[in-house]
Amino acid sequence: MKRIGIYGSSFDPITYSHMFTAAAVASRKRLDKVFFTPCSSKRRDKILQTNDRHRVKMLELALETCKNKTNRFGEPLFEISLVELNALPGETYTYDTMEYFRKQFPEDEIFFIMGADLLEGLSRWGNAEKLVKNHKFIVMAREGYHMDDLIAKDPLLRNNDENFLTMSKGISMGISSSYIRGEIRNGGDPSFLLPDQVLDYIYKNELYTKEVGR
């Protein structure tokens, strides 16, 4: 049996914080695989700043820098899944993504990797009851959010608390995609916040020079 983590985000762009989070979770929770799963640009609840093609390419460039990271089976530790990119808004939820991976890996243990800030609204997600009852989560600490308290005060979460593994990264990395985009847009220098290959790609394709949706 393998232990597999599903790491969903917009990755707009991917940062060293994303990569460190994936590595920390994989190491401390003994994961054999982490799938970076970029969300679809068709989602109505997010305004993405560049298209799916660019975000996937940046993911590929970033993960190429850590291709030597392998699991106990000698396989790449990190991979990209495009399962959500063609998801129709309002019709496909995290529950459907987790069910997809369960069908792909029926003998393995699947975890959804999330931040503690998402616990507060988890019971309002699409198919939340089936998601929480039938799937497992690794919850990363976020400043200002008390994971155990958030789980305890929500009936759905506390009655299924055995499905939640909580952890702190042990280090605060305040690197956000929005911060990097702001630096690029305003002529700053985001070097050392993301892989050089990704930053070069951003400059070459003139990404994030303007903010979309403002």
Side-chain angles (χ1 to χ4, degrees), residues 24 80 106 157 194:
I80 300 169
L157 306 190
L194 70 172

Side-chain angles (χ1 to χ4, degrees), residues 13-14 16 54 57-62 65 180 184 188-209:
I14 185 171
Y16 276 136
H54 286 312
K57 184 60 179 179
M58 288 186 285
L59 269 173
E60 291 173 347
L61 290 169
T65 68
I180 290 173
I184 293 169
D189 181 9
S191 299
F192 308 108
L193 302 181
L194 70 172
D196 289 343
Q197 295 91 326
V198 176
L199 188 57
D200 291 344
Y201 182 87
I202 290 171
Y203 287 141
K204 180 180 178 179
N205 291 276
E206 299 181 345
L207 305 181
Y208 309 124
T209 56

Side-chain angles (χ1 to χ4, degrees), residues 31 85 123 185:
L31 300 185
L85 288 188
S123 60
R185 192 168 55 251

Side-chain angles (χ1 to χ4, degrees), residues 82-193:
L82 306 182
V83 61
E84 292 197 353
L85 288 188
N86 296 317
L88 296 176
E91 296 182 18
T92 303
Y93 302 101
T94 299
Y95 170 75
D96 302 290
T97 298
M98 294 298 286
E99 285 292 296
Y100 166 84
F101 280 105
R102 174 172 282 176
K103 291 175 182 176
Q104 294 294 308
F105 305 99
E107 305 299 323
D108 299 323
E109 198 170 12
I110 313 294
F111 299 88
F112 182 71
I113 300 170
M114 61 185 290
D117 52 310
L118 298 179
L119 284 172
E120 218 160 18
L122 182 55
S123 60
R124 297 189 296 274
W125 289 16
N127 294 320
E129 186 171 352
K130 291 192 290 185
L131 173 65
V132 172
K133 288 184 176 181
N134 298 327
H135 294 283
K136 297 181 179 180
F137 304 81
I138 297 174
V139 186
M140 303 292 299
R142 292 283 189 271
E143 187 174 354
Y145 295 89
H146 300 284
M147 294 181 285
D148 292 339
D149 291 344
L150 289 171
I151 292 171
K153 75 177 186 180
D154 187 304
L156 177 61
L157 306 190
R158 69 170 175 260
N159 289 322
N160 297 277
D161 64 356
E162 70 278 3
N163 287 340
F164 292 88
L165 300 180
T166 59
M167 66 170 281
S168 169
K169 286 186 286 190
I171 184 173
S172 177
M173 295 187 72
I175 305 171
S176 68
S177 296
S178 59
Y179 180 88
I180 290 173
R181 294 195 303 264
E183 286 292 286
I184 293 169
R185 192 168 55 251
N186 293 290
D189 181 9
S191 299
F192 308 108
L193 302 181

Side-chain angles (χ1 to χ4, degrees), residues 70-83:
T70 57
N71 60 24
R72 58 196 168 110
F73 304 100
E75 304 164 340
L77 178 60
F78 301 142
E79 288 191 27
I80 300 169
S81 172
L82 306 182
V83 61

